[in-house]
Amino acid sequence: MGFRGTVTDAPDFDASADAETLYNAMKGIGSDKEAILDLVTGRSSAQRQEIVQAYKSSYGKDLIDDLKYELTGNFERLIVSLMRPQAYHDAKEIHDAIKGAGTDEKCLIEVLASRNNQQIHDLVEAYKDAYGSDIEEDVTGETSGHFNKMLVVLLQGTRDEPGIVHADLIEEDAQVLFAAGEEQWGTEESIFIMLLGNRSFNHLQMVFDKYQEIAEKSVEDSIKSELSGDFERLMLAVVQCIRSVPMYFAKRLYKSMKGLGTQDNTLIRIMICRSEIDMLDIRECFRMCYEKSLYNMIKSVPYCLTHWSIIGYCSLAGEFFPEAAQLAYKMWETSAMTKVQLRPTIRPASDFDPADDAQNLRKAMKGFGTDEDVIIDIVANRSNEQRQEIRQAFKSILGRDLMKDLKSELSKNLERLIIGLMLTPAEFDAKMMRKAMEGAGTDEHALIEILVTRSNEEIHAMNAAYQDGYKKSMEEAIQSDTSGRFSQILTSLVQGAREQGPADWDRALVDAQELADACNEDSDDMEIKFMSILCTRSFPHLRRVFQEFVRCSNKDIEQIIKQEMSGDVKQAMYGIVRSVKNQPNYIAERLYKAMKCIGTDDRALIRIMVSRSEVDLFNIRKEFKETHDCSLHEFIQGDTSGDYRKTLLMLCGGQD
């Protein structure tokens, strides 16, 4: 592959003339920031080093010192960083990460996981030259455990060179990883460290494919389920870089800009270090993963003009670059091959006695005041099946309706959460569908989320519960509350008639071509064709369809939906695709959106925490942490309060 950067050598370059321009821009009171900006971002890194030398020769002064004196804030950090050789910039980032107040583990992970052998060797030498100490000793002094060991391995820069594949070791390495991981994790982390830190990227990509065949899950899923903390984050970063360095940086850039406040150091570091390497591919990977281009997202950054120059303009139109198309195909192939082990956070209580629980709940609600702690401790630590036994025992022994008693004793969000837990899953889903459609305005996002994440059996049970509870079919309720194509999509989903079973390869090829052909038709015909396939085929089959769609169209199915559809139809189709690709990740994103803004969407938070706690909330937690660099536990802790928060955290089940 040829040059994939966005910054190249300036033509007709004259280092002395540029040095003079910068000198004049900083002379006198104030400085001409626009002149500095235009010049620095219009030169390659090699040319900037020539300017630094010419500046010293002409004026006897250090250009970087003058820039630091004249500029301030993040603009100064960015311009000064651009003037340093890349190895010295990396060295400063590592030094700042380990010498300040507290260690910036994320910086260590990003830099050391993503650099090739030569970049690592240059970094080690630059660090020694700049700070007079050994980088390995400094890093070792600030880190510990397996995290420390993997960083030391990466600092050796001894990975097999690109292209080196030990064909006779691919299956053996995969088996060794499987034996060290899924079969007996806890004693063989050193095997993972040795192989992931020394084999070439090309070799490991083949090993990962073989591992998936053996384990029926991806290496990433194994790491997420077995590791934690900084070591987990480091190993995931290494695997992601082995898969695709541009995709890794696209995700890092997104995390640096989303939410409240920009992670300026991360944003600056990535834009500088990748501008002359693979920024074009990072742009395309960013567009493939998220709902806006990198260019548009970066506009919100106060000092973004410099970033525009580095990134280069990119519109939302156009085909994938080859790297992005290959990644999209590989992502769907990985999704199709992965057999996800769903892990709940709530399990049946041992030594369960429904009569005893019923009596204790009655005591907690009898007399003046309510003992919320007892109620929470019982309800949040029982499975739903056990809660139904408690309801029955409460009625049989005490002659009272437990649900009515709880409603009279609890209030607000705690009451909604506890009642939600005490309902059967079908009753709860029916109630959530009812809440999404009643009153002024429809909660379309809730309708989509529920219907795209439930199995046929769950939808049938929900339909029966809705009919029983509200004396009206759910299909009738949907059709009276929604309209147009969106109503048709929901009506199709609420039938609970999605095909089951594995992918049919021949049929998947036909379906993929039909979807690709539909992209050239008018919007109405396109929506009909997409609905006929996305709402009826099994999830395993759709994964293969979406994989082949990339081959047929040179585009990703998510990209097409975002570009060609709008409104509720777009959201419904997008929800199906995201759920097909990685349902825990889709639900994790719904949780994030429920808590990220000012004011919490408590209905969405309760709906997800209740409905997924006995299904896959552990998986959702892991996806939440990886995507947002913050645990679900931390988000709930900071966004809720009181007994409501206590109950949610018990359902969450851990801090990651």
Side-chain angles (χ1 to χ4, degrees), residues 467-500:
Q467 180 72 52
D468 183 56
Y470 306 109
K471 312 308 177 189
K472 183 179 184 179
S473 77
M474 198 184 308
E475 182 178 335
E476 289 175 318
I478 287 172
Q479 291 174 346
S480 66
D481 204 66
T482 59
S483 61
R485 186 81 61 227
F486 179 59
S487 182
Q488 292 174 4
I489 293 170
L490 296 183
T491 299
S492 177
L493 294 174
V494 85
Q495 305 307 307
R498 186 179 291 283
E499 296 170 1
Q500 301 299 295

Side-chain angles (χ1 to χ4, degrees), residues 566-592:
S566 61
D568 296 330
V569 171
K570 169 181 158 183
Q571 294 302 323
M573 291 296 181
Y574 186 65
I576 293 171
V577 171
R578 289 293 308 279
S579 193
V580 168
K581 178 186 280 185
N582 184 336
Q583 193 167 102
N585 181 270
Y586 167 65
I587 299 172
E589 196 60 24
R590 296 286 302 136
L591 275 172
Y592 175 73

Side-chain angles (χ1 to χ4, degrees), residues 530-574:
F530 269 60
M531 184 179 76
S532 70
I533 293 175
L534 269 64
C535 293
T536 61
R537 307 296 196 260
S538 72
F539 277 20
H541 182 82
L542 285 174
R543 292 185 188 106
R544 291 299 185 186
V545 172
F546 298 157
Q547 178 187 349
E548 290 306 312
F549 179 84
V550 178
R551 195 194 299 277
C552 294
S553 66
N554 197 37
K555 295 179 180 178
D556 185 62
I557 194 78
E558 291 179 68
Q559 179 192 15
I560 288 295
I561 290 171
K562 291 171 189 174
Q563 289 180 1
E564 303 297 334
M565 299 183 184
S566 61
D568 296 330
V569 171
K570 169 181 158 183
Q571 294 302 323
M573 291 296 181
Y574 186 65

Side-chain angles (χ1 to χ4, degrees), residues 57-93:
S57 298
S58 298
Y59 305 105
K61 302 176 70 177
D62 188 291
L63 175 56
I64 290 180
D65 287 344
D66 282 2
L67 288 168
K68 286 180 179 178
Y69 181 79
E70 292 292 334
L71 307 177
T72 59
N74 284 316
F75 184 73
E76 177 231 317
R77 181 182 179 87
L78 181 53
I79 295 296
V80 168
S81 296
L82 282 165
M83 296 307 301
R84 291 193 180 97
Q86 182 57 52
Y88 282 82
H89 178 248
D90 281 350
K92 186 175 191 306
E93 292 295 300

Side-chain angles (χ1 to χ4, degrees), residues 519-534:
C519 295
N520 299 318
E521 300 174 3
D522 64 51
S523 60
D524 198 51
D525 290 340
M526 177 184 175
E527 288 175 359
I528 291 173
K529 177 54 66 178
F530 269 60
M531 184 179 76
S532 70
I533 293 175
L534 269 64

Side-chain angles (χ1 to χ4, degrees), residues 224-397:
K224 289 177 197 173
S225 64
E226 301 295 340
L227 301 183
S228 62
D230 293 325
F231 184 48
E232 176 195 354
R233 284 186 279 275
L234 174 57
M235 298 305 279
L236 283 174
V238 171
V239 171
Q240 288 164 2
C241 287
I242 291 166
R243 299 274 196 199
S244 168
V245 172
M247 180 61 77
Y248 171 71
F249 279 115
K251 292 179 178 179
R252 289 288 294 150
L253 281 170
Y254 179 74
K255 291 177 184 178
S256 76
M257 290 182 283
K258 69 172 181 57
L260 299 175
T262 303
Q263 297 172 23
D264 300 295
N265 291 355
T266 301
L267 179 57
I268 291 169
R269 182 170 59 246
I270 296 173
M271 297 303 291
I272 289 173
C273 78
R274 309 313 295 187
S275 61
E276 295 185 45
I277 300 175
D278 54 5
M279 186 55 71
L280 287 174
D281 292 319
I282 292 170
R283 283 186 345 190
E284 292 307 306
C285 290
F286 193 98
R287 185 174 66 185
M288 183 171 70
C289 286
Y290 307 110
E291 293 185 17
K292 59 169 68 178
S293 70
L294 177 57
Y295 178 86
N296 284 333
M297 190 163 183
I298 217 165
K299 280 183 180 180
S300 61
V301 180
Y303 48 98
C304 64
L305 283 175
T306 313
H307 289 122
W308 292 2
S309 303
I310 295 172
I311 190 176
Y313 179 73
C314 71
S315 68
L316 286 174
E319 306 297 311
F320 278 156
F321 284 115
E323 168 86 359
Q326 291 167 15
L327 278 171
Y329 187 87
K330 193 67 180 177
M331 284 168 61
W332 282 113
E333 183 178 51
T334 300
S335 178
M337 292 172 64
T338 301
K339 191 172 184 178
V340 178
Q341 178 186 357
L342 300 182
R343 297 177 62 182
T345 55
I346 298 296
R347 299 181 184 276
S350 58
D351 301 322
F352 171 62
D353 185 340
D356 190 51
D357 282 347
Q359 294 280 12
N360 286 329
L361 284 172
R362 178 58 186 152
K363 289 177 186 175
M365 294 184 283
K366 198 163 65 173
F368 293 106
T370 304
D371 191 339
E372 286 87 356
D373 287 340
V374 170
I375 296 172
I376 293 168
D377 189 58
I378 292 174
V379 174
N381 285 298
R382 305 291 184 270
S383 68
N384 190 270
E385 186 176 323
Q386 289 174 332
R387 294 183 204 119
Q388 303 316 309
E389 291 187 52
I390 295 171
R391 282 176 68 177
Q392 186 60 50
F394 200 89
K395 174 84 76 175
S396 299
I397 297 170

